[in-house]
């Protein structure tokens, strides 16, 4: 299958700082990328969907000013957690899809964010 | 929007037995139903998927069935092995250009040797 690379895999930051997470499709052009949040022993909660060159679509309850998403190219999307707080600590994972809806999405390896 | 319910939340079987996980969805426009396996600390991996023009799909020990009228789909694993132990997620979506996937809450499968 296609490869999606996510960095960093782990990050610890101080409360009030911002953290940027990158998601790259290595061998295909990702028309759509998704960002999920996963709490321990829980499911993947969709945060937002981004299409290259346009603004991200956020799910209800997700603060777009806190979780900034940029999808500047067909191979890169970034999620920036701004003014991070301990409650933002979680596992963040991206997925990327090459085709239209109804095609397989490939996941990055995830980022474990700890805010202290 | 789409809502996906998944049952059971935990499932324990003996090695060699079959395991069945069921999901229901709410949006009749959804047309893509993948199943993912996630091992502890790792990314979800697609194990099988089905589209709404097909009722059943099989890949070796894994099969998925889809009932669009009832809006439910199921994962069947036969001859389970200890390495099948993981969390399994169903998802539904695929409609339109966004094609957002909405995931079920997951099923923790334990296969006892």
């Amino acid at each position: 299958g296609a490869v999606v690379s996510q960095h960093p895999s782990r990050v610890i930051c101080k409360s009030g700082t911002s953290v940027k997470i990158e998601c790259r499709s290595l061998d295909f052009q990702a028309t759509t990328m998704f960002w999920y949040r996963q709490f321990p022993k829980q499911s993947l909660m969709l945060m937002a969907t981004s299409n290259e060159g346009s603004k991200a679509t956020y799910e209800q309850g997700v603060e777009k000013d806190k979780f900034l998403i940029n999808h500047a190219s067909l191979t890169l999307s970034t999620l920036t957690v701004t003014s991070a707080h301990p409650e933002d600590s979680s596992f963040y994972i991206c997925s990327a899809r090459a085709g239209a809806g109804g095609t397989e999405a490939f996941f990055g390896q995830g980022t474990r964010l700890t805010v202290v | 929007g789409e809502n996906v319910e998944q049952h059971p939340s935990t499932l324990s079987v003996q090695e060699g037995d079959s395991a069945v996980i069921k999901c229901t969805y709410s949006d009749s426009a959804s047309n893509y139903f993948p199943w993912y396996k996630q091992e502890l600390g790792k990314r979800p991996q697609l194990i099988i998927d089905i589209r709404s023009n097909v009722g059943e799909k099989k890949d070796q020990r894994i099969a998925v069935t889809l009932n669009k009228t009832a809006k439910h789909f199921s994962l069947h694993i036969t001859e389970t092995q200890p390495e099948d132990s993981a969390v399994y997620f169903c998802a539904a979506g695929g409609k339109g250009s966004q094609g957002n996937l909405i995931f079920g809450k997951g099923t923790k499968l334990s296969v006892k040797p």
Side-chain angles (χ1 to χ4, degrees):
Chain A
V3 179
V4 175
S5 179
Q6 187 174 340
H7 292 281
S9 57
R10 291 179 181 273
V11 59
I12 301 173
C13 72
K14 291 185 178 180
S15 189
T17 61
S18 296
V19 174
K20 180 185 282 189
I21 302 169
E22 292 189 347
C23 181
R24 293 181 184 271
S25 56
L26 298 186
D27 52 1
F28 69 102
Q29 293 186 324
T31 54
T32 306
M33 287 188 172
F34 305 91
W35 287 95
Y36 296 87
R37 183 172 180 175
Q38 187 175 33
F39 290 103
K41 299 183 180 181
Q42 294 191 24
S43 189
L44 298 139
M45 302 301 297
L46 180 65
M47 298 175 66
T49 302
S50 69
N51 291 294
E52 183 265 338
S54 61
K55 289 184 179 180
T57 302
Y58 289 81
E59 294 299 300
Q60 192 172 9
V62 178
E63 300 175 60
K64 60 180 180 181
D65 294 331
K66 180 168 184 63
F67 299 99
L68 301 179
I69 291 171
N70 185 287
H71 193 159
S73 76
L74 283 171
T75 59
L76 173 65
S77 177
T78 61
L79 167 68
T80 301
V81 183
T82 62
S83 187
H85 291 283
E87 57 265 30
D88 298 324
S89 299
S90 190
F91 188 64
Y92 293 87
I93 191 164
C94 70
S95 72
R97 190 182 68 209
T103 57
E104 182 178 354
F106 300 92
F107 283 87
Q109 61 266 55
T111 298
R112 173 73 59 194
L113 170 64
T114 303
V115 185
V116 297
Chain B
E2 178 65 274
N3 182 49
V4 178
E5 299 283 340
Q6 182 173 347
H7 298 280
S9 57
T10 59
L11 179 60
S12 182
V13 299
Q14 285 295 129
E15 182 177 2
D17 288 350
S18 296
V20 180
I21 303 171
K22 299 182 179 182
C23 287
T24 60
Y25 62 99
S26 60
D27 191 341
S28 57
S30 290
N31 57 14
Y32 178 59
F33 309 92
W35 286 88
Y36 286 86
K37 175 183 181 182
Q38 187 178 28
E39 297 177 2
L40 189 63
K42 296 187 177 180
R43 76 186 82 190
Q45 298 275 9
L46 179 73
I47 56 171
I48 197 168
D49 58 12
I50 192 167
R51 291 176 174 79
S52 59
N53 58 340
V54 177
E56 184 173 354
K57 183 177 177 181
K58 190 173 182 179
D59 182 5
Q60 298 182 334
R61 297 187 297 109
I62 295 172
V64 57
T65 58
L66 170 65
N67 183 328
K68 281 223 78 179
T69 303
K71 295 206 281 284
H72 66 70
F73 55 113
S74 301
L75 176 71
H76 304 252
I77 306 174
T78 58
E79 300 172 35
T80 54
Q81 301 167 2
E83 50 265 40
D84 294 330
S85 298
V87 178
Y88 291 80
F89 293 100
C90 64
K95 62 176 180 174
S97 59
Q98 295 279 35
N100 301 352
L101 283 179
I102 302 301
F103 284 80
K105 293 189 184 301
T107 297
K108 183 177 181 181
L109 174 64
S110 300
V111 180
K112 300 185 185 305

